Amino acid sequence: MVKHNTDTNGIGYEWEYAKVKDDRTIWQKIIMGIYNPSSHEFLGRSAKSWGGILLFYAVFYSSLACMFGICMKVLLSTLNDNTPHFTLSSSLIGTNPGLGFRPMSPNVEDGSLIYYAADNATNVEAWTTELDKFLAVYKNKTLLPDKGNNQQKCGYNMPPRTDKVLRGQPWPTWDNAHPNTNINIKAQPCVFIKLNKIFDWEPEFYNNKTDIPADMHTNLRKQLHKE
């Protein structure tokens, strides 16, 4: 094959070349692309080139792993396994505990709804089972953290020690509310209202009606004045 070209001076020249025909099959080309025995290249790179790449990424990702480990170590050193770092007014929750209730539906999509068919034993049993789970720790203290050994009987003049918590009411107290003994469970389901836990929060008692805050809800103030 002859190729004609012209240099910048307008003088023509010609040269011949012959392109070697590639008679290899597709499979042979694939094999050659993976490993070329003539140049000893694997996937288009020599052993030295692959060694340099592997060494670079080994050092690079090792450095990233070390930096991540140091950051996690510093972060975890600021946390406490037993109490949150921010509490009360310094936290997002604040100083007013919210109210929770039990039983709650195991299905997240149901939200806070409690609904069932009173004449459907399966529906009723689903909710009573959730109540059983909630009340289980009152019946069997071994289910509590430290098997309940951190509990202490307390009173108004006998607060718990710093390493203890208030001992809850024993199981017999709940018998009348337990679904297995409540004959009106279908018509009047049991719902337990509870205060959500807030670390370091201490309730403020008002033993004198004159000490009731003026910003307290009107209905609550009226109820307290009746008692």
Side-chain angles (χ1 to χ4, degrees):
M1 181 181 292
V2 178
K3 181 178 181 180
H4 297 276
N5 200 348
T6 304
D7 60 10
T8 56
N9 296 324
I11 302 175
Y13 68 92
E14 62 182 16
W15 51 275
E16 297 181 357
Y17 71 94
K19 182 178 180 181
V20 180
K21 184 179 180 181
D22 192 351
D23 295 328
R24 297 177 301 173
T25 63
I26 295 178
W27 177 248
Q28 289 175 331
K29 292 179 181 179
I30 294 175
I31 296 298
M32 187 67 69
I34 296 175
Y35 177 72
N36 190 335
S38 60
S39 60
H40 303 289
E41 292 181 346
F42 178 73
L43 296 178
R45 291 183 179 275
S46 63
K48 181 179 180 181
S49 177
W50 278 115
I53 291 176
L54 293 176
L55 178 62
F56 168 78
Y57 281 107
V59 174
F60 177 70
Y61 285 112
S62 296
S63 301
L64 287 181
C66 290
M67 293 177 61
F68 177 77
I70 293 173
C71 291
M72 289 299 297
K73 181 65 176 179
V74 173
L75 174 63
L76 293 177
S77 65
T78 64
L79 303 178
N80 190 305
D81 294 335
N82 300 317
T83 59
H85 183 73
F86 297 102
T87 59
L88 300 178
S89 59
S90 62
S91 68
L92 295 176
I93 298 177
T95 57
N96 295 323
L99 283 177
F101 69 92
R102 295 293 185 275
M104 292 187 65
S105 174
N107 299 322
V108 179
E109 57 271 15
D110 290 341
S112 58
L113 297 178
I114 297 179
Y115 61 93
Y116 61 92
D119 57 349
N120 189 320
T122 303
N123 283 167
V124 175
E125 184 180 2
W127 291 105
T128 57
T129 300
E130 292 300 316
L131 272 182
D132 285 336
K133 293 179 182 178
F134 171 65
L135 298 175
V137 293
Y138 295 96
K139 183 177 181 180
N140 184 3
K141 71 175 186 178
T142 60
L143 300 176
L144 293 169
D146 196 24
K147 297 184 178 180
N149 294 325
N150 63 335
Q151 292 187 339
Q152 174 188 336
K153 185 177 180 180
C154 305
Y156 288 103
N157 299 321
M158 187 174 60
R161 302 200 308 263
T162 55
D163 59 338
K164 299 291 183 179
V165 296
L166 172 65
R167 179 183 301 168
Q169 293 292 339
W171 172 254
T173 306
W174 305 103
D175 276 350
N176 293 332
H178 191 268
N180 292 336
T181 58
N182 189 344
I183 59 176
N184 295 322
I185 183 63
K186 291 185 178 181
Q188 299 176 354
C190 299
V191 177
F192 288 85
I193 305 298
K194 69 181 191 68
L195 288 175
N196 292 334
K197 182 176 182 179
I198 294 185
F199 285 87
D200 297 335
W201 177 76
E202 295 183 3
E204 185 177 354
F205 296 96
Y206 297 101
N207 297 322
N208 194 328
K209 295 179 180 180
T210 58
D211 296 333
I212 297 177
D215 57 350
M216 183 179 289
H217 195 277
T218 304
N219 292 338
L220 181 56
R221 292 182 62 190
K222 290 181 179 179
Q223 183 64 32
L224 292 176
H225 281 293
K226 291 179 181 179
E227 298 179 357

